[in-house]
Amino acid sequence: MANIKIKFPDGSTRDFESPITPGKIAESISRSLAQKALAAEIDGKVVDLAYPISHDSEVRILTFDDPHGREVFWHSSAHLMASAIMELFPETKLAIGPAIPDDFSARFYYDLDLPHKLTEVDLEKIEKKMAEIASRDLPFQRSEENRIKAIGDFNAEHDLYKSEMASEWTDEKVSFYTHGNFTDMCRGPHLPSTGQIKAVKLLSVAGAYWRGDEKNKMLQRIYGVTFPDKKMLEEHLHKIEEAKKRDHRFLGRDLDLFSIVDEVGSGLVLWHPRGARIRNIIENLWRDEHFKNGYDLVFSPHIAKLDLWETSGHTGFYSENMFSPMPVENVQFELKPMNCPFHIQMYKSHTRSYRDLPFRWAELGTVYRYERSGVLHGLMRVRGFTQDDAHLFCRPDQLTEELVKTINFNLFFLRTFGFKDYDVFLSTRPEKYVGTPEGWETATAALKTALETAKLDYQVDPGEGVFYGPKIDIKIKDNLGRSWQCTTIQVDFNLPERFNMEYSAEDGTRQRPIMIHRALLGSLERFFGILIEQYAGNFPVWLAPEQIRILPVTDEWNAYAQEVCARFQGADLRVNVDDSSEKIGKKIRNAENMKIPYMAVVGKIEAESRELSLRKHKVGDLGKLSVEGVIERLKAEESQRSLE
């Protein structure tokens, strides 16, 4: 047999007899790796451990520590759940069951067409059956069948969902995976066997329209999570409980920060005074830092003629996310889903020279996107939101430098708000795109160079670029280890072409500028929701809408409280006086419940000594300090932002 050369992630190579499977390669490396191996990545493609390799390849063995390994684990868990359901409820019609690795609580689901509504008792039964099937250590075995034959083999009534999916399969062959007596149509890959799934928890059941279309039948969707050991499951369930306490929707209500009401409309946010105060702090910091970094601020309208969006390509590639046009004097207008065409028109308002570039134009621009009601979620998914948007117009020789500056500027903001861990993704050309493949390759190469210059580790996310260009996505991790999409940096050769943008080059020729789209925080609504959950509503002093509350023991000391309040206000501190008729214990509890960083109790002793009894949220009494001493403490704490 011929030998093939296998290259490993560390750059080393080894020769093996052809064909060889990733499972055998793992065994040759170590027994420990073979036991932990879940799947493999061969030349960038994730495959089963039984996949035959017959040519020189780059191989990476995937364990549960790897995101792709976890996705295989949870996809296999969905199959395990489906098999348990079919044993308990054989009348079930199976739809689809993917892994959902980006969901914090659940990691997979399966959509089912079942005659009766599932209950908590049913979930417990399914959970036990899953554990039983897993303990049988049944191998996942792949098979293939001709697509036309596979469609014919499906029972027209019982397998209607699978038949519909098979009819849309583009490959000549349809693949199936079997464990025990259960077989499911699936592209894979999957685990070697069910025995690797050691801990199971089904979390909830919800309604879901088939393929997300409200015109289709409502199915039942079971969400679950699994792990290779029980300790990991226990830790995950603890994080879920902690996440519930941090849920921005409830904290937003309890702390009087924002609301979303039916009378206004789903996905449309009302910022209350306390939430608006925090937003104003964020916006002021954002504006100040942009001016320091060579940006100019611009403003654009909320609507524009539909023709503008046709020129940009949005109507052809983004129409499903846009609201319906509105007629105005026989002309169709559209709510803006993005700000970029407006900035382009500003650029075109004058003749530009190579000496003028780069332009860095930023806008806190409110945009509107049609999100289906089923995906709306508090501040995280809304229909109207404000982007911390910017567009940079530069020459080709300036592109890499501008991208590196943008990345570093972004890291400054993330660290300022306390985010130090993040995952970086380079998203490449999708199936539907504008422009030429050559332009896409040039843009993608520029982003790669910038990431490498900034010394950032990144993963390639194939096909996830936007229709007009590749992009860098940065997902921040919060205190619970959850990932949140915030930063997007995109290189665009296409819109300058579509809008016929030009500048006069040094040699007198007319050239196209390169356009960089970037949003550092993403949307202010989403970022604010992330901050609420990151801090669990306990905002640091510099962000807190109310930094200190003065609590007079009785009405007799209200005058002194107001005097102290005026001195705090003169020091530019955010302060209120609780001059209600409540007893001091209740006033303290109210301030604690509102998560106010500091409280100053004033009574007879404090008024006579011209001092304050200072309390800190979740800590308690800090003793007596002078008014100036409290001001100095708060101002010092206010100036400390997380920059490391």
Side-chain angles (χ1 to χ4, degrees):
M1 289 187 179
N3 277 1
I4 58 173
K5 192 174 294 292
I6 299 299
K7 183 178 180 180
F8 297 103
D10 63 359
S12 63
T13 60
R14 283 179 58 185
D15 290 340
F16 291 89
E17 285 189 357
S18 173
I20 185 77
T21 66
K24 291 295 184 182
I25 293 174
E27 289 176 7
S28 74
I29 296 172
S30 73
R31 182 178 178 184
S32 172
L33 179 61
Q35 291 175 336
K36 294 178 181 178
L38 306 178
E41 188 176 85
I42 311 297
D43 297 329
K45 179 184 177 182
V46 181
V47 299
D48 302 312
L49 287 178
Y51 181 86
I53 308 171
S54 55
H55 55 82
D56 293 354
S57 303
E58 292 187 18
V59 175
R60 187 161 66 95
I61 304 300
L62 303 178
T63 68
F64 197 79
D65 293 330
D66 186 279
H68 293 303
R70 292 194 291 272
E71 188 167 352
V72 171
F73 190 92
W74 290 320
H75 189 183
S76 301
S77 299
H79 278 234
L80 175 64
M81 180 169 70
S83 66
I85 291 166
M86 294 306 296
E87 284 195 25
L88 294 169
F89 308 103
E91 70 277 17
T92 301
K93 300 171 186 176
L94 296 176
I96 189 170
I100 44 174
D102 289 335
D103 189 297
F104 171 67
S105 54
R107 298 302 191 179
F108 61 88
Y109 69 78
Y110 218 113
D111 286 347
L112 320 160
D113 188 346
L114 193 59
H116 82 276
K117 187 174 181 180
L118 292 166
T119 65
E120 287 292 332
V121 174
D122 291 325
L123 292 187
E124 291 175 6
K125 290 179 181 178
I126 297 169
E127 199 176 285
K128 289 179 181 178
K129 180 60 69 174
M130 288 177 68
E132 178 192 324
I133 297 172
S135 68
R136 298 176 199 167
D137 198 21
L138 302 171
F140 283 94
Q141 298 175 318
R142 181 187 173 93
S143 61
E144 292 185 344
E145 191 174 323
N146 178 274
R147 184 175 65 87
I148 303 301
K149 184 178 185 303
I151 295 171
D153 288 345
F154 282 123
N155 180 292
E157 182 177 343
H158 192 269
D159 299 318
L160 71 162
Y161 303 107
K162 299 295 181 182
S163 178
E164 181 179 329
M165 288 188 288
S167 67
E168 298 171 356
W169 203 286
T170 56
D171 299 335
E172 183 180 337
K173 297 282 189 179
V174 174
S175 55
F176 294 84
Y177 279 83
T178 300
H179 64 274
N181 297 322
F182 177 78
T183 299
D184 200 357
M185 181 179 71
C186 182
R187 294 185 187 275
H190 283 288
L191 299 174
S193 75
T194 62
Q196 290 172 292
I197 303 172
K198 303 291 187 182
V200 177
K201 181 63 179 178
L202 299 187
L203 301 171
S204 63
V205 60
Y209 291 106
W210 169 233
R211 297 198 155 176
D213 191 334
E214 297 175 1
K215 297 177 183 177
N216 291 335
K217 185 172 182 178
M218 174 73 79
L219 306 179
Q220 296 186 74
R221 175 175 294 178
I222 301 179
Y223 290 98
V225 66
T226 54
F227 285 96
D229 66 61
K230 292 183 178 180
K231 182 180 179 182
M232 294 174 72
L233 175 61
E234 290 171 359
E235 291 173 350
H236 183 75
L237 295 178
H238 174 74
K239 286 184 178 180
I240 291 176
E241 289 303 312
E242 182 61 30
K244 289 178 181 178
K245 299 175 187 176
R246 294 169 177 258
D247 192 317
H248 75 280
R249 294 168 298 176
F250 303 120
L251 286 173
R253 176 199 62 203
D254 296 342
L255 301 180
D256 196 21
L257 301 173
F258 72 92
S259 61
I260 300 172
V261 298
D262 289 339
E263 290 80 359
V264 173
S266 299
L268 301 173
V269 182
L270 301 175
W271 291 78
H272 296 199
R274 297 176 69 83
R277 177 63 72 92
I278 299 174
R279 173 170 172 164
N280 187 60
I281 295 167
I282 295 170
E283 289 187 1
N284 286 341
L285 171 69
W286 186 90
R287 292 187 189 94
D288 291 344
E289 294 300 328
H290 275 74
F291 283 131
K292 291 178 186 177
N293 281 269
Y295 284 77
D296 290 306
L297 300 190
V298 297
F299 298 91
S300 61
H302 292 246
I303 62 172
K305 289 181 178 179
L306 187 61
D307 291 350
L308 185 71
W309 309 107
E310 290 175 350
T311 301
S312 69
H314 283 87
T315 55
F317 293 87
Y318 203 73
S319 58
E320 63 184 25
N321 296 107
M322 297 167 65
F323 282 96
S324 300
M326 63 187 83
V328 181
E329 297 178 344
N330 297 320
V331 177
Q332 296 279 28
F333 281 76
E334 177 69 51
L335 281 169
K336 66 174 179 180
M338 296 182 185
N339 301 299
C340 28
F342 297 102
H343 297 184
I344 291 172
Q345 294 300 324
M346 295 179 197
Y347 178 96
K348 293 184 65 178
S349 66
H350 293 282
T351 301
R352 307 296 182 180
S353 164
Y354 73 96
R355 297 177 184 273
D356 300 326
L357 302 179
F359 289 117
R360 305 181 189 98
W361 292 343
E363 176 180 9
L364 290 170
T366 300
V367 298
Y368 304 89
R369 298 180 187 174
Y370 173 54
E371 299 282 4
R372 275 61 178 175
S373 57
V375 301
L376 296 174
H377 180 78
L379 296 176
M380 305 304 190
R381 200 77 176 264
V382 294
R383 288 175 171 160
F385 57 92
T386 301
Q387 284 185 309
D388 73 313
D389 210 357
H391 295 96
L392 291 74
F393 305 98
C394 65
R395 305 188 309 262
D397 61 293
Q398 297 170 324
L399 178 58
T400 298
E401 181 182 359
E402 289 302 314
L403 287 172
V404 172
K405 286 180 178 179
T406 301
I407 291 170
N408 290 332
F409 191 28
N410 172 71
L411 296 181
F412 163 81
F413 270 110
L414 297 184
R415 291 166 182 162
T416 296
F417 288 99
F419 298 105
K420 302 174 184 177
D421 296 324
Y422 25 79
D423 294 319
V424 182
F425 298 89
L426 174 60
S427 301
T428 58
R429 190 177 71 213
E431 290 184 12
K432 292 175 63 177
Y433 66 93
V434 294
T436 64
E438 294 77 18
W440 276 80
E441 289 173 9
T442 302
T444 303
L447 289 172
K448 284 183 178 178
T449 301
L451 286 169
E452 289 162 4
T453 303
K455 298 181 179 179
L456 282 180
D457 294 329
Y458 66 92
Q459 302 174 44
V460 175
D461 203 355
E464 291 302 314
V466 289
F467 70 88
Y468 51 76
K471 61 176 180 172
I472 294 170
D473 286 325
I474 298 181
K475 296 183 178 181
I476 58 176
K477 291 187 176 181
D478 67 11
N479 288 331
L480 295 181
R482 297 176 295 180
S483 291
W484 302 98
Q485 173 64 54
C486 283
T487 305
T488 298
I489 303 169
Q490 303 161 0
V491 173
D492 185 357
F493 288 84
N494 298 304
L495 287 183
E497 180 76 26
R498 294 175 77 94
F499 281 95
N500 195 29
M501 299 175 68
E502 293 182 336
Y503 67 89
S504 176
E506 189 172 7
D507 61 3
T509 60
R510 307 300 296 175
Q511 301 292 331
R512 295 261 186 259
I514 299 172
M515 185 175 184
I516 301 172
H517 308 248
R518 52 113 283 206
L520 304 183
L521 306 181
S523 84
L524 292 188
E525 285 76 6
R526 181 180 178 82
F527 191 72
F528 185 44
I530 295 169
L531 286 178
I532 293 172
E533 301 206 5
Q534 164 79 349
Y535 295 121
N538 298 300
F539 293 104
V541 167
W542 77 275
L543 270 180
E546 185 178 352
Q547 296 168 315
I548 186 167
R549 182 175 292 183
I550 304 171
L551 311 177
V553 176
T554 65
D555 291 349
E556 185 178 353
W557 314 113
N558 284 351
Y560 178 57
Q562 292 294 343
E563 177 188 331
V564 173
C565 180
R567 291 180 66 183
F568 284 158
Q569 289 172 334
D572 199 25
L573 291 172
R574 299 184 288 279
V575 58
N576 284 308
V577 175
D578 183 353
D579 57 4
S580 68
S581 59
E582 300 285 359
K583 293 183 177 179
I584 189 61
K586 182 66 180 299
K587 290 182 179 182
I588 292 173
R589 285 194 299 274
N590 289 343
E592 286 284 347
N593 290 337
M594 292 301 290
K595 302 182 185 293
I596 297 165
Y598 285 96
M599 292 147 269
V601 177
V602 296
K604 180 180 180 181
I605 296 174
E606 290 79 15
E608 290 177 349
S609 64
R610 315 304 288 174
E611 292 181 318
L612 304 171
S613 290
L614 190 64
R615 298 182 62 88
K616 188 171 184 178
H617 175 57
K618 296 175 69 174
V619 174
D621 185 28
L622 298 180
K624 289 183 173 54
L625 281 81
S626 67
V627 175
E628 284 304 318
V630 173
I631 291 174
E632 288 176 9
R633 180 183 182 117
L634 267 66
K635 296 302 284 187
E637 195 167 333
E638 184 182 47
S639 67
Q640 293 174 0
R641 294 173 181 164
S642 180
L643 291 173
E644 298 180 359

